[in-house]
Amino acid sequence: MNINAEEEIRKRAKNVSRDDMEDLLGKESTAERPSKKAGFLSQYWEDIKTSFSLIKDWFNGAYDEIPARMIASLAAALIYFVSPIDLIPDWIPMAGLIDDAAILAFVFKLSEADLNIYRRWKRKDSAEEDAVEVVDV
């Protein structure tokens, strides 16, 4: 079976709604299992976690420095990944995750710059929250 990741993501991203994203946000733990179970997927775990965080911050209005089309693509890839029903069913040992890996690899390559910008923003935001104001008395 030939997997055209670009075509699959574009098709699915067009149909991602805010409700789909909201449903997705509760499924990060669902994504962790196959990421740790299949060694070839572990390379994507940091990007998967970052994508969940980015979508959450975008959804809540905390971060809007990414095009909605890219958010939809990331959400579509994660929805595809956590769904047991896709081109190659996940219950088929190893082969069931190959299509997921292809989709993730494509969307993470496509969104690499946006994910890196978000990571820098997140680190800066976290550092500002951790800063303690010093007051002279």
Side-chain angles (χ1 to χ4, degrees):
M1 168 173 271
N2 185 13
I3 300 165
N4 185 333
E6 181 176 3
E7 182 180 310
E8 193 64 30
I9 280 299
R10 290 189 195 289
K11 178 175 69 175
R12 290 175 182 258
K14 287 180 186 176
N15 298 318
V16 173
S17 69
R18 288 187 66 83
D19 289 341
D20 293 331
M21 285 188 225
E22 190 171 21
D23 289 343
L24 173 66
L25 291 176
K27 297 182 179 176
E28 187 170 355
S29 62
T30 304
E32 187 172 10
R33 263 179 277 142
S35 298
K36 295 196 174 181
K37 182 177 164 185
F40 63 93
L41 285 174
S42 64
Q43 65 184 315
Y44 302 116
W45 181 235
E46 287 305 314
D47 286 338
I48 290 169
K49 289 190 310 186
T50 299
S51 297
F52 270 103
S53 179
L54 170 57
I55 292 167
K56 180 180 178 185
D57 283 341
W58 180 85
F59 191 81
N60 294 330
Y63 185 79
D64 62 359
E65 300 299 316
I66 186 169
R69 185 177 70 244
M70 186 56 66
I71 287 290
S73 295
L74 287 166
L78 293 175
I79 291 167
Y80 187 90
F81 180 58
V82 299
S83 174
I85 302 167
D86 48 42
L87 293 176
I88 304 173
D90 291 349
W91 55 265
I92 298 173
M94 298 308 285
L97 297 174
I98 290 174
D99 61 325
D100 295 13
I103 296 292
L104 291 173
F106 173 76
V107 82
F108 291 148
K109 184 65 177 169
L110 186 68
S111 64
E112 184 176 13
D114 289 312
L115 289 175
N116 287 331
I117 291 167
Y118 172 74
R119 284 182 182 109
R120 284 192 296 275
W121 175 84
K122 193 71 171 173
R123 281 193 301 270
K124 180 182 174 204
D125 189 52
S126 294
E128 288 174 2
E129 287 178 10
D130 292 342
V132 177
E133 187 177 308
V134 178
V135 179
D136 283 340
V137 228

